Amino acid sequence: MARAARVYRRPGRLTLLLGILVGWLVLYAVLKGTDTISLAPSDVTSLHTRLNDLNTSVGDNRNSNPFFLYFINEIQVGATHFITFLQNLLSQPSGTRPVPVVGWLGVVVIMTVIAGRFGNWRVAVLAAAGFLFLGLQGLWQPSMDTLALTIAAVVICVLIGIPLGVLVAQYRGFERVITPVLDLMQTMPTFVYLLPLTLLFLIGPATGVIAMVIYAMPPVIRLTAHGLQAVSTETVEAGRSLGSTRPQQLAKIMLPMARRTIIIGVNQTIMAALSMVTIAALVAAPGLGQTVLQALESQDVGTAFNAGLAIVVLAVVLDRVTTAASERARATDHARTRLRADPRWRRGADLVALIVTAVAVYLSYTYQLFAAFPDHLAIGGTRLGLDLGTHIESWTSSATSWAQRDLGSITGPIKNGVTYHALNPLQNLLDSSPWWLTFIAIVATAFVLGGRWAALIAATCLGLVVGTGLWQDSMDTLAATLIATVVVVVLGVMFGVWMGRNARADWGIRPFLDALQVMPAFVYLVPFVALFGATRFTGIVAAVLYAAPVAIKIVADGIRGVPAETVEAAGSSGCSTWQVITKVQLPMSVRSLALATNQGLIYVLAMVVVAGLVGGGALGFDVVAGFSQSSLFGKGLAAGAAIVLLGIALDRVTQSAARRAGGHVSHRAT
Amino acid sequence: MTAHVDQGDPTAVSKPDVSAENTRPTVSPGRRDPDVADISVRGLWKVFGTARTATRVPTTPELAAMSRSELRDRTGCLAAVCDLDFDVAPGEVFVVMGLSGSGKSTLVRCLTRLIEPTAGTITIQGEDITRMGDRALRELRRNKVSMVFQHFGLLPHRRVIENVAFGLEIRGMSRAERMRRATEVIELVGLDGYQQSYPEQLSGGMQQRVGLARALAGDPGVMLFDEPFSALDPLIRRDMQQEVIRLHREVGKTMVFITHDLSEALKLGDRILIMRDGRTVQVGTGPELVGAPADDYVRDFVREVPRSQVLTLEWIMREAVPADDMSGRELAPDVVVRDAVRAVLESTAPVKVVRDGRLLGVVGDPEILRVVAGS
Amino acid sequence: MSVRTGSARGRLLAAVVAVTGLALAACGGAKVGGGGGGGGGGSTASAVAAGSSGSTTTTKCGTVTLADNPWIGYEADVAVVSYVLRTDLHCNVQIKHLTEQVSWQGFSTGQVDAILENWGHQDLAKQYISNNHVAVDLGSDGLTGVIGWFVPPWMVQKYPDITNWKNLNKYASLFKTSESGGKGQLLDGDPSYVTNDAALVKNLHLNYKVVQGGSETALIQSFRAAQQNKKPLLAYFYSPQWFLNEVHLVKVNLPKYTPGCDAVAAKVACDYPAYHLNKVVAASFAKSGSPAFTLIKNWKWSNQQQNTVSKMLAVDKLSDDAAAKKWISSNKSVVDGWLKGT
């Protein structure tokens, strides 16, 4: 009996959801406008005021309170010294020198030699070309500031992350404790923790680096742990049987064997740190992020794109070099003898590389030409311009002004259509229903989709959101997030199916997705502000662009993961292409679809918040305003908390839904 | 099954000449009368590679004659199936056998154009498949030809009964009707009671029964099997082979069965096509292959086969000579050697091989012992 | 193996040759100036160096960090002051792009030496100057600021009484947009700007919603489009502002400002005061005896002068340095006044 009943469960779930929606709409029609919790932009609750007072008292006591004196301030000063040291080395005038210690030639050669020594000659060429390109873009100094910041963050991440990873691998209990923390560090919109960080560390590069560390550390911890756990027990037992101590096992067996995975973790940490540079610029961290932020203020698409491109170039170089290093680590694991068999030759090569580097560094230290990147070269009588950046800027700017001029008739109606027919109705439903009605409807939806636990988490989070006093703003943010997520999922399915079924499409589209993901989110905002004005719609478009690549990739992988034979079996049963997609490939990738939705939501939420900077309003604006208006600091802090709460609720509900949906697909034959 | 050779047109298969014991029987051709055949394949090619080069291969005699590796070196194309001709009679079990890479899986996929053939014609039940449009092809797949796959190709998100009914659903059959039909077929393949399970809850053998049931559900005229049992344990495999034999007896479909396992081929196949590097090496009944291998490749293959279980008397008999004691028993020429051993060895006179009252030859102790000892 | 080694050796050789070549090429080139110790050469560099770091010795002045707040007038301040600091006083100038209130925080961390254009912020002045003594008020920079609500001139021609706030509700429907939720839209600028708008809307019972434009550029573009296309627009704006010379926006009169009427942010129901913009510097910078401090103390200019430079930056798209250079070349005497005593 029970078995038979389960057959009809899925359609049942849909009916329940429809029921919830209908009930909600009916009650909304009756109760609209009553029991709403609204708070005018200038108003604050007592909670917000208390947080403001906290801010002031911290400001007043930061140099007398022992917690600050001996802990927080020490961290701040330490980090600042470290960054200043790196900046003097790479980017900023050092001491009495008008230029940094190592000029562009030195940096290019050092990077090339490192890439060649730990990766291969191809990435060495890439590193040289990439760094020279940064100079040609006219962005050498901000690029080096960004590099210095990234190095600082990554070094801190590695110094703390690898030991933590070892602990995670060794102690199950520790793993259980730290996993949810890592989840939170990665899913929390990065924007949100800037405000509490400034409360502790004030503004400045140190705070920027600390924010980068928070976001970028989880991968290195996770992958270190994963690499260590993946070392086969037999190998460890073999070591034990030879009488090695636990530290010996770790140092001589496990860490070397996990080396490749750890390098991959470092790679991901670098990428994550780089993706934070623009956010870090909000707290006065120097570098390319500053350039992007300024361009956003002056709506200068060319400058924004040029600086964004520089971040992409940095990311690509660092990514490829570390990837090559990890591949080389594997190659040497497997066939140490095949690579550069003769150690004498190898030592010789290292020596030559060292000499070349030393010469280059000396030249860049001594000669003006090699210290600051020249904007032109005078060879004989001819002047060779090296300012590629201006060209890039003017091309992009003219492309945008064309779009602004000639696409205005299209962009306006699209914006209004989405705003009036999707965004406004949904936003009204969410924020003009009595709060308890919205609350119940969301919790019920969570229950139907994700079960009891999901409902409990949703209820807890929403309850706390009510406590922040920012219910209405939260619902507005939720509305924009949901709409953008729907678009992301639709795009994810469309392109994902296409790419999953067609290798050539995949080959053609994937590089664009990669570039979209590396480009800092802020850079998208600039052209869309130009096209759509400072509206919520702009935020939605930017969020869709930011989140769609992830969703598309996940869906494409899911579709590709459907065994070829199953697809063939469907074809041999006479399925049309449409039937193959809808009856076989999509249902079998339901886990990927759910995961894509989950990731889409998280990414969208992060971006919708950033869009608060340019008219997105709601929670994002509250956070930005909290940053820049001390009277709204508390409100901003509360808004940050509300964003995190929304994020946790959305994440948990979609994850439980994914687990339930994929119940019978998970164990498919491979 | 092994015994009932030759269900098709008996005249088409040339029986061994009775002239001498060691005279090789001539190899029987794959072609039969296409008007009678259920499946008829002529000049079939599948060449993988860039479209322009690939289509040139079958039509250029020089290229068409090349060996696979030569062709790959010259053009970069891979000829998976080269110039195949064969016919399958209605109700026949036709086995295509070859090692991996011989092109047999490509061949079976070409039959319903899951893989698009490069050249040649395929006729199934009188219709030229190669000329069909998408719609006609889908109709063919829905109604006339079904397929069973090596790794089952089941849908993990659907229950057994929904998997079986899948083809019917695709056709647009009403839910009630397809559930009824699916239930019938599930009983037929011995899965009664598992209707509501998910594939992952079943063993491999049972999953393949689901695959079988799905293929049977649409009541197709032709069933294609792509190495359906090679992913199964040996014991389960034997059960499943018996199952196919039983089903064939009960439903009498035309079957094309791909395998790399000779004993499976001999057990199931009315006739067997041996493929190597995309080409036909030999087509014939089991005894024909064992008794008269076309070349060393086939001989190598059949070396390990217990000949006494495959060969029939007509393959080992010798011409009667006047000195023979003609008082022995009479047996039919298609009796398997193993079944005749006792009869031959117990009597002092050689056994007479007789068809329709005509004496074809005799089998004495030496003939029998040579086979039994050789195997 | 040998092929591999050979090619690797070839590449290495190429690298050595390249670096040697560069070294030879550099021998005739300019050395990095100053007492850094590397080259030790005294010759100053020719102007091949890009960037703003300059190329001469900076022993006397050291490094000055200026906050740069996100509006074009402030950028004009920074452009001119930093140009003079670098070319005349040979300072290293670092420019930090920060919002107004965040800039103040920089005084306690040493991230900021000077704010050139401070709009009010009595609360911050109290915290950082009076309480914490990390900042010093350097007095007026000569600019006077106005903040208010503005409409494009065509609207005043068509609806003459719109400049009185009491009539705003009458015209609210004109200002409806997709973002304003059925009310009239009041477009605001950068969230960091000094603003009482949300409180004003509420306390004056206006049927309007404050919508965030995000930046000065958004405001300017919106006003420009509104005037060109005769579209209604009500927005937060301010002077000194070069754009007011391009489009003569008209200020809406809010209830008159009286001292103290804006004491409680959430209760404000009066117009913005007239701002006498001032300079604030870090206490440590004030004590450093740097010539840069003297210059900033002397520095002072008018709304008109600032607008000239702003327009060069915003409309003529000159770089900061080019604009500063151009303006200074025709205002030598003004700059000489600033340099007195340095």
Side-chain angles (χ1 to χ4, degrees), chain B residues 127-150:
Chain B
E127 287 181 277
D128 186 350
I129 305 299
T130 41
R131 286 168 194 273
M132 277 184 175
D134 280 354
R135 182 176 292 265
L137 196 58
R138 274 207 299 276
E139 287 308 313
L140 174 98
R141 291 177 188 165
R142 287 178 185 181
N143 301 313
K144 290 191 174 169
V145 186
S146 65
M147 190 157 164
V148 180
F149 291 86
Q150 183 174 7

mmCIF file of all heavy atoms in Angstrom, chain B residues 127-150:
data_model
loop_
_atom_site.group_PDB
_atom_site.id
_atom_site.type_symbol
_atom_site.label_atom_id
_atom_site.label_comp_id
_atom_site.label_asym_id
_atom_site.label_seq_id
_atom_site.Cartn_x
_atom_site.Cartn_y
_atom_site.Cartn_z
ATOM 1 N N GLU B 127 10.457 -1.788 -45.611
ATOM 2 C CA GLU B 127 10.610 -0.334 -45.711
ATOM 3 C C GLU B 127 12.087 0.038 -45.714
ATOM 4 O O GLU B 127 12.864 -0.481 -44.911
ATOM 5 C CB GLU B 127 9.935 0.353 -44.516
ATOM 6 C CG GLU B 127 8.435 0.321 -44.591
ATOM 7 C CD GLU B 127 7.829 1.045 -43.396
ATOM 8 O OE1 GLU B 127 7.711 0.427 -42.325
ATOM 9 O OE2 GLU B 127 7.517 2.239 -43.546
ATOM 10 N N ASP B 128 12.432 0.934 -46.590
ATOM 11 C CA ASP B 128 13.823 1.366 -46.669
ATOM 12 C C ASP B 128 14.098 2.383 -45.562
ATOM 13 O O ASP B 128 13.636 3.518 -45.603
ATOM 14 C CB ASP B 128 14.086 1.989 -48.046
ATOM 15 C CG ASP B 128 15.566 2.310 -48.224
ATOM 16 O OD1 ASP B 128 16.318 2.232 -47.224
ATOM 17 O OD2 ASP B 128 15.956 2.617 -49.359
ATOM 18 N N ILE B 129 14.848 1.938 -44.576
ATOM 19 C CA ILE B 129 15.110 2.795 -43.408
ATOM 20 C C ILE B 129 15.933 4.007 -43.793
ATOM 21 O O ILE B 129 15.734 5.101 -43.288
ATOM 22 C CB ILE B 129 15.908 1.995 -42.348
ATOM 23 C CG1 ILE B 129 15.184 0.721 -41.981
ATOM 24 C CG2 ILE B 129 16.164 2.836 -41.124
ATOM 25 C CD1 ILE B 129 13.844 0.936 -41.401
ATOM 26 N N THR B 130 16.880 3.797 -44.707
ATOM 27 C CA THR B 130 17.834 4.861 -44.988
ATOM 28 C C THR B 130 17.188 6.068 -45.648
ATOM 29 O O THR B 130 17.748 7.148 -45.651
ATOM 30 C CB THR B 130 18.969 4.333 -45.887
ATOM 31 O OG1 THR B 130 18.409 3.473 -46.877
ATOM 32 C CG2 THR B 130 19.976 3.572 -45.075
ATOM 33 N N ARG B 131 15.997 5.865 -46.228
ATOM 34 C CA ARG B 131 15.340 6.991 -46.880
ATOM 35 C C ARG B 131 14.309 7.670 -45.982
ATOM 36 O O ARG B 131 13.654 8.616 -46.392
ATOM 37 C CB ARG B 131 14.617 6.519 -48.141
ATOM 38 C CG ARG B 131 15.554 6.220 -49.269
ATOM 39 C CD ARG B 131 14.786 5.492 -50.355
ATOM 40 N NE ARG B 131 15.717 4.884 -51.308
ATOM 41 C CZ ARG B 131 16.200 5.532 -52.360
ATOM 42 N NH1 ARG B 131 15.833 6.755 -52.617
ATOM 43 N NH2 ARG B 131 17.041 4.934 -53.171
ATOM 44 N N MET B 132 14.127 7.144 -44.786
ATOM 45 C CA MET B 132 13.038 7.658 -43.952
ATOM 46 C C MET B 132 13.332 9.051 -43.419
ATOM 47 O O MET B 132 14.469 9.373 -43.086
ATOM 48 C CB MET B 132 12.841 6.727 -42.759
ATOM 49 C CG MET B 132 11.986 5.528 -43.077
ATOM 50 S SD MET B 132 11.738 4.590 -41.579
ATOM 51 C CE MET B 132 10.603 3.367 -42.211
ATOM 52 N N GLY B 133 12.281 9.837 -43.311
ATOM 53 C CA GLY B 133 12.406 11.121 -42.634
ATOM 54 C C GLY B 133 12.365 10.889 -41.125
ATOM 55 O O GLY B 133 12.109 9.776 -40.663
ATOM 56 N N ASP B 134 12.595 11.966 -40.367
ATOM 57 C CA ASP B 134 12.626 11.842 -38.907
ATOM 58 C C ASP B 134 11.353 11.242 -38.341
ATOM 59 O O ASP B 134 11.370 10.397 -37.451
ATOM 60 C CB ASP B 134 12.851 13.228 -38.279
ATOM 61 C CG ASP B 134 14.319 13.619 -38.333
ATOM 62 O OD1 ASP B 134 15.119 12.753 -38.751
ATOM 63 O OD2 ASP B 134 14.644 14.758 -37.979
ATOM 64 N N ARG B 135 10.244 11.715 -38.876
ATOM 65 C CA ARG B 135 8.965 11.296 -38.321
ATOM 66 C C ARG B 135 8.749 9.795 -38.552
ATOM 67 O O ARG B 135 8.418 9.052 -37.622
ATOM 68 C CB ARG B 135 7.838 12.095 -38.981
ATOM 69 C CG ARG B 135 6.468 11.791 -38.473
ATOM 70 C CD ARG B 135 5.488 12.729 -39.136
ATOM 71 N NE ARG B 135 5.707 14.106 -38.686
ATOM 72 C CZ ARG B 135 5.012 14.643 -37.680
ATOM 73 N NH1 ARG B 135 4.104 13.935 -37.054
ATOM 74 N NH2 ARG B 135 5.230 15.879 -37.316
ATOM 75 N N ALA B 136 8.986 9.363 -39.812
ATOM 76 C CA ALA B 136 8.795 7.957 -40.146
ATOM 77 C C ALA B 136 9.743 7.098 -39.317
ATOM 78 O O ALA B 136 9.373 6.027 -38.820
ATOM 79 C CB ALA B 136 9.048 7.749 -41.629
ATOM 80 N N LEU B 137 10.940 7.607 -39.130
ATOM 81 C CA LEU B 137 11.930 6.869 -38.357
ATOM 82 C C LEU B 137 11.475 6.695 -36.913
ATOM 83 O O LEU B 137 11.595 5.623 -36.325
ATOM 84 C CB LEU B 137 13.247 7.649 -38.418
ATOM 85 C CG LEU B 137 14.504 6.895 -37.999
ATOM 86 C CD1 LEU B 137 14.699 5.669 -38.852
ATOM 87 C CD2 LEU B 137 15.709 7.820 -38.136
ATOM 88 N N ARG B 138 10.926 7.795 -36.357
ATOM 89 C CA ARG B 138 10.412 7.697 -34.986
ATOM 90 C C ARG B 138 9.288 6.681 -34.897
ATOM 91 O O ARG B 138 9.219 5.903 -33.952
ATOM 92 C CB ARG B 138 9.915 9.063 -34.522
ATOM 93 C CG ARG B 138 10.997 9.924 -33.948
ATOM 94 C CD ARG B 138 10.437 10.917 -32.945
ATOM 95 N NE ARG B 138 9.474 11.832 -33.545
ATOM 96 C CZ ARG B 138 9.837 12.946 -34.193
ATOM 97 N NH1 ARG B 138 11.096 13.260 -34.301
ATOM 98 N NH2 ARG B 138 8.919 13.736 -34.696
ATOM 99 N N GLU B 139 8.408 6.700 -35.907
ATOM 100 C CA GLU B 139 7.303 5.737 -35.905
ATOM 101 C C GLU B 139 7.843 4.317 -35.938
ATOM 102 O O GLU B 139 7.350 3.430 -35.245
ATOM 103 C CB GLU B 139 6.379 5.991 -37.109
ATOM 104 C CG GLU B 139 5.522 7.238 -36.962
ATOM 105 C CD GLU B 139 4.762 7.239 -35.631
ATOM 106 O OE1 GLU B 139 4.160 6.217 -35.280
ATOM 107 O OE2 GLU B 139 4.812 8.287 -34.939
ATOM 108 N N LEU B 140 8.867 4.122 -36.767
ATOM 109 C CA LEU B 140 9.475 2.795 -36.859
ATOM 110 C C LEU B 140 10.008 2.356 -35.497
ATOM 111 O O LEU B 140 9.776 1.241 -35.041
ATOM 112 C CB LEU B 140 10.615 2.831 -37.878
ATOM 113 C CG LEU B 140 11.434 1.532 -37.953
ATOM 114 C CD1 LEU B 140 10.942 0.683 -39.122
ATOM 115 C CD2 LEU B 140 12.919 1.814 -38.107
ATOM 116 N N ARG B 141 10.740 3.284 -34.844
ATOM 117 C CA ARG B 141 11.323 2.940 -33.541
ATOM 118 C C ARG B 141 10.244 2.702 -32.503
ATOM 119 O O ARG B 141 10.392 1.906 -31.590
ATOM 120 C CB ARG B 141 12.253 4.058 -33.074
ATOM 121 C CG ARG B 141 13.512 4.183 -33.912
ATOM 122 C CD ARG B 141 14.306 5.363 -33.411
ATOM 123 N NE ARG B 141 15.451 5.679 -34.270
ATOM 124 C CZ ARG B 141 16.107 6.827 -34.193
ATOM 125 N NH1 ARG B 141 15.725 7.744 -33.333
ATOM 126 N NH2 ARG B 141 17.135 7.057 -34.978
ATOM 127 N N ARG B 142 9.160 3.450 -32.626
ATOM 128 C CA ARG B 142 8.101 3.309 -31.636
ATOM 129 C C ARG B 142 7.352 1.987 -31.801
ATOM 130 O O ARG B 142 6.902 1.401 -30.826
ATOM 131 C CB ARG B 142 7.105 4.461 -31.761
ATOM 132 C CG ARG B 142 7.664 5.754 -31.245
ATOM 133 C CD ARG B 142 6.705 6.894 -31.417
ATOM 134 N NE ARG B 142 7.353 8.138 -31.003
ATOM 135 C CZ ARG B 142 6.768 9.327 -31.022
ATOM 136 N NH1 ARG B 142 5.523 9.439 -31.437
ATOM 137 N NH2 ARG B 142 7.404 10.393 -30.627
ATOM 138 N N ASN B 143 7.169 1.560 -33.047
ATOM 139 C CA ASN B 143 6.239 0.460 -33.285
ATOM 140 C C ASN B 143 6.878 -0.826 -33.768
ATOM 141 O O ASN B 143 6.344 -1.896 -33.532
ATOM 142 C CB ASN B 143 5.181 0.893 -34.303
ATOM 143 C CG ASN B 143 4.412 2.095 -33.811
ATOM 144 O OD1 ASN B 143 3.978 2.109 -32.669
ATOM 145 N ND2 ASN B 143 4.288 3.110 -34.649
ATOM 146 N N LYS B 144 7.972 -0.728 -34.511
ATOM 147 C CA LYS B 144 8.425 -1.939 -35.192
ATOM 148 C C LYS B 144 9.714 -2.530 -34.645
ATOM 149 O O LYS B 144 9.908 -3.731 -34.706
ATOM 150 C CB LYS B 144 8.615 -1.631 -36.686
ATOM 151 C CG LYS B 144 7.302 -1.396 -37.393
ATOM 152 C CD LYS B 144 7.498 -1.369 -38.875
ATOM 153 C CE LYS B 144 6.163 -1.278 -39.596
ATOM 154 N NZ LYS B 144 6.366 -0.983 -41.009
ATOM 155 N N VAL B 145 10.607 -1.678 -34.189
ATOM 156 C CA VAL B 145 11.911 -2.173 -33.769
ATOM 157 C C VAL B 145 12.185 -1.691 -32.349
ATOM 158 O O VAL B 145 11.995 -0.513 -32.057
ATOM 159 C CB VAL B 145 13.027 -1.633 -34.692
ATOM 160 C CG1 VAL B 145 14.351 -2.272 -34.330
ATOM 161 C CG2 VAL B 145 12.693 -1.883 -36.143
ATOM 162 N N SER B 146 12.611 -2.585 -31.487
ATOM 163 C CA SER B 146 13.000 -2.123 -30.156
ATOM 164 C C SER B 146 14.398 -2.640 -29.861
ATOM 165 O O SER B 146 14.913 -3.490 -30.571
ATOM 166 C CB SER B 146 12.016 -2.624 -29.109
ATOM 167 O OG SER B 146 12.085 -4.023 -29.029
ATOM 168 N N MET B 147 14.965 -2.119 -28.788
ATOM 169 C CA MET B 147 16.370 -2.427 -28.545
ATOM 170 C C MET B 147 16.605 -2.660 -27.051
ATOM 171 O O MET B 147 16.001 -2.017 -26.203
ATOM 172 C CB MET B 147 17.223 -1.255 -29.047
ATOM 173 C CG MET B 147 18.700 -1.551 -29.076
ATOM 174 S SD MET B 147 19.520 -0.449 -30.257
ATOM 175 C CE MET B 147 21.202 -0.665 -29.759
ATOM 176 N N VAL B 148 17.526 -3.588 -26.769
ATOM 177 C CA VAL B 148 17.936 -3.864 -25.392
ATOM 178 C C VAL B 148 19.419 -3.527 -25.304
ATOM 179 O O VAL B 148 20.183 -3.902 -26.186
ATOM 180 C CB VAL B 148 17.699 -5.341 -25.037
ATOM 181 C CG1 VAL B 148 18.133 -5.621 -23.604
ATOM 182 C CG2 VAL B 148 16.231 -5.701 -25.235
ATOM 183 N N PHE B 149 19.784 -2.816 -24.203
ATOM 184 C CA PHE B 149 21.138 -2.263 -24.134
ATOM 185 C C PHE B 149 22.013 -2.973 -23.117
ATOM 186 O O PHE B 149 21.519 -3.570 -22.154
ATOM 187 C CB PHE B 149 21.066 -0.777 -23.776
ATOM 188 C CG PHE B 149 20.495 0.049 -24.887
ATOM 189 C CD1 PHE B 149 19.132 0.205 -25.023
ATOM 190 C CD2 PHE B 149 21.322 0.660 -25.803
ATOM 191 C CE1 PHE B 149 18.604 0.961 -26.043
ATOM 192 C CE2 PHE B 149 20.805 1.424 -26.825
ATOM 193 C CZ PHE B 149 19.431 1.566 -26.951
ATOM 194 N N GLN B 150 23.299 -2.825 -23.316
ATOM 195 C CA GLN B 150 24.262 -3.492 -22.441
ATOM 196 C C GLN B 150 24.104 -3.071 -20.980
ATOM 197 O O GLN B 150 24.068 -3.893 -20.092
ATOM 198 C CB GLN B 150 25.684 -3.165 -22.912
ATOM 199 C CG GLN B 150 26.739 -3.870 -22.100
ATOM 200 C CD GLN B 150 28.132 -3.639 -22.671
ATOM 201 O OE1 GLN B 150 28.327 -2.857 -23.602
ATOM 202 N NE2 GLN B 150 29.097 -4.337 -22.127
#
